Amino acid sequence: MSLYLQLDTGWISRGLLKRKSNYSPVIVFETSDPKRLHQLKEYLLRQPDARYDYYFVYDQWEGLGRLVDSSSGPQFEPFRKRVGSSPLAQRVGTREEGGIQLQFFKSALKEVDAQLKSWRACFIIQNLSENREHETGLCSALRAWAIDPAVITKGSTVILVTADAERVLDDYTRELTVIVSVDPSRRDERSHIVRTTARELEVPLEDAGVEEIVMGTAGLSLHQMESVLLESYFRTQQFDLRVIKDLKSELVKKSGVLEVQEPTLGFGDIGGYDVIKGFIHKYVINVLRYADRARRYALPLPKGILFFGPPGTGKSLFATALASEVQLPFIHLVTENIYSKWLGESGQKMKNAIALAEKMSPAVVFVDEIDRFGRRGVATDSAGEETRRVFSQFLEWLGRPDREAIIVGTTNVPDQLDEAFLRTGRFDYKIPFLYPGEAARQDILLVHLGLKAGTSRRRPPLAIPEDGLRQFLAEEVVPLTANFSGAELEELVTRAKRQAFDRGAEGLEEIDFLRAARTFRVDHRHRTGVIETCLAQARRYTDDQGFLDAVEEEMGVKV
């Protein structure tokens, strides 16, 4: 049996079942994977329940042709129609062997129309990415075929294969068709491809290695899957998981709105914020890590977390570390690339991003500055309507009970988020990030100096004993950094290193930290107002009083 027919063909069966039920003789399969198209053709030619008298194919480049079976698989055979030598006939196509090859879409549709009504025929339209209706007449033809008694009675079927039905067909035409969204790849399909390819290339693989590759390639199409395996083999003579993940990241990045990153930092690389770490461990990480136990208690897995607070307090860093702690892929939704000046494109980008993220899940989907599309807005023009559409799509995604992606959103301005975003059921937890207290600031400094156990950060050369430096930081430097953010504390360490470097010293000394701290300017009056605002937001949005009390104690502030 062909490899293609050993893979999942359920999507084809679903479409043909609708045809048998006379729902519509027009089926739209949403996929851009060339291997899915090949799989469809093999199924139609070789499966007894899908036999037709004639098979026609239209390709924008090759024109109209017949689909024929051969030992090497389905083949395209140009369709030539015998016509007279009138100027009109010559304009229809190119004269060849006493006939013409139909290149123009309208001419091809007219020719196939007669075939669909005379025989049990199957017509496949492929590689269509857009439709200019005034040139093609595609929607008019599909609507006519969808309700034509002759087409229905003869058992003919029209199949359109396209990446996105909305870009090709109008609303009315889609209502009269069967639309089947095709999965890029299923877990068992990826496993089959890995094992088959490994056997053909004589690459030794154990079951554990196969499972790692299967998990690491979630979201890729069959074509992409095979390509990354082959490229990994040609580079390393094996299926190297790191190479495969890098190649996958490159493919996903082409979408323009998603990036797959490999988290390298965990909670051990984040100083301070022990209360937040403990809260996330208890209510997020442990529930994911012990999913079977959570299911016994009917405890739902966390679906969404909102980090809010002023800039530089570590919200983005925590999102990355969370993915590392739970050993899940980290997908960055690039919000600034969602919106487009072209009407309809922003909504399409969001739709594609959501679909792709779900195919790669379970994963942590990081949405930085979620307030970019977290407000409903007023639709006074086409741009406003597009903003509302993106908002509605994201909101619907947040509320889907079958969502597998764990959405981690961050914002500096939670007050600008729509109330629908913030209500219970959208985000499981809303966690405030305030400026670190004294103990947290000490911890952050030690992390960036590589002096904290568990951190992977590099330790710079020291001209003083480590114990003495710890005491010096606690007594002299930390008091000078009141209301500093985590990012500012990291910058302070960098400035201290720069001081020692400029002096030509052998290592860091006390004077380097003091000079860095005393020359680091922070507008404390403005910062006081920011803190008051943050405390008010924490009181408004965080609904766990015990957690707020712990934050108050750790940060040395009053909530």
Side-chain angles (χ1 to χ4, degrees), residues 104-266:
F104 300 118
F105 207 169
K106 277 189 177 180
S107 302
L109 295 180
K110 284 287 186 182
E111 177 64 29
V112 173
D113 178 71
Q115 305 292 340
L116 292 172
K117 296 173 182 177
S118 303
W119 308 92
R120 177 177 163 82
C122 179
F123 179 34
I124 302 172
I125 304 170
Q126 64 184 41
N127 296 333
L128 196 65
S129 59
E130 62 178 359
N131 176 38
R132 296 183 178 91
E133 182 64 18
H134 65 282
E135 296 178 1
T136 66
L138 174 64
C139 288
S140 298
L142 294 181
R143 290 195 295 266
W145 291 332
I147 61 174
D148 191 291
V151 173
I152 295 171
T153 303
K154 288 293 183 182
S156 294
T157 303
V158 179
I159 296 175
L160 172 63
V161 182
T162 180
D164 183 9
E166 287 189 22
R167 291 182 68 89
V168 178
L169 307 179
D170 56 37
D171 293 344
Y172 180 34
T173 306
R174 292 199 306 274
E175 283 292 321
L176 296 173
T177 65
V178 176
I179 298 179
V180 178
S181 182
V182 185
D183 284 341
S185 63
R186 290 161 49 100
R187 185 189 184 102
D188 56 333
E189 290 180 306
R190 296 196 300 277
S191 177
H192 185 77
I193 289 177
V194 171
R195 294 179 189 278
T196 302
T197 310
R199 185 168 57 252
E200 292 174 351
L201 298 175
E202 298 182 352
V203 176
L205 268 182
E206 296 182 356
D207 289 343
V210 172
E211 283 305 305
E212 285 184 337
I213 295 173
V214 168
M215 289 292 292
T217 52
L220 294 184
S221 69
L222 300 178
H223 175 70
Q224 292 170 332
M225 177 76 185
E226 187 176 83
S227 297
V228 299
L229 291 175
L230 291 174
E231 185 167 347
S232 174
Y233 174 77
F234 293 140
R235 284 190 188 183
T236 65
Q237 299 302 301
Q238 60 181 327
F239 294 163
D240 187 296
L241 185 60
R242 184 170 294 278
V243 172
I244 289 171
K245 285 185 175 181
D246 288 343
L247 293 172
K248 173 184 174 178
S249 181
E250 290 176 11
L251 290 170
V252 173
K253 196 172 183 178
K254 288 182 180 179
S255 69
V257 292
L258 289 182
E259 294 179 0
V260 179
Q261 301 170 6
E262 192 70 26
T264 57
L265 301 178

Side-chain angles (χ1 to χ4, degrees), residues 72-92:
S72 59
Q75 297 293 322
F76 179 92
E77 183 180 275
F79 178 90
R80 293 181 175 86
K81 179 181 179 181
R82 293 186 178 275
V83 295
S85 58
S86 68
L88 175 62
Q90 292 185 23
R91 286 200 301 270
V92 175

Side-chain angles (χ1 to χ4, degrees), residues 404-544:
E404 292 194 37
I406 302 169
I407 300 175
V408 178
T410 67
T411 180
N412 304 330
V413 285
D415 290 338
Q416 293 186 15
L417 290 173
D418 195 282
E419 289 187 6
F421 258 56
L422 296 169
R423 74 165 177 80
T424 303
R426 304 289 190 202
F427 289 102
D428 300 286
Y429 306 108
K430 296 175 277 290
I431 299 176
F433 278 73
L434 309 179
Y435 293 109
E438 286 194 1
R441 296 201 300 275
Q442 166 82 354
D443 207 33
I444 293 170
L445 291 172
L446 294 176
V447 164
H448 291 296
L449 287 166
L451 299 179
K452 185 182 178 184
T455 184
S456 59
R457 298 180 188 270
R458 185 177 176 182
R459 179 182 303 191
L462 303 176
I464 53 178
E466 182 180 321
D467 290 342
L469 177 59
R470 289 173 180 270
Q471 183 177 353
F472 167 75
L473 291 174
E475 295 177 356
E476 302 292 336
V477 178
V478 169
L480 298 175
T481 59
N483 297 336
F484 273 42
S485 69
E488 289 165 341
L489 292 168
E490 181 181 7
E491 174 62 17
L492 187 147
V493 171
T494 301
R495 293 188 184 186
K497 293 176 184 177
R498 193 176 293 125
Q499 291 277 350
F501 177 81
D502 292 342
R503 290 190 302 106
E506 293 298 320
L508 283 165
E509 298 180 14
E510 291 96 330
I511 188 64
D512 300 312
F513 290 98
L514 288 175
R515 285 176 177 173
R518 287 170 178 164
T519 59
F520 201 127
R521 184 178 179 277
V522 172
D523 187 342
H524 289 283
R525 179 178 296 179
H526 172 72
R527 191 61 54 90
T528 299
V530 172
I531 292 172
E532 291 176 356
T533 300
C534 292
L535 294 178
Q537 291 170 343
R539 188 181 305 115
R540 178 180 176 185
Y541 299 117
T542 304
D543 54 10
D544 190 316

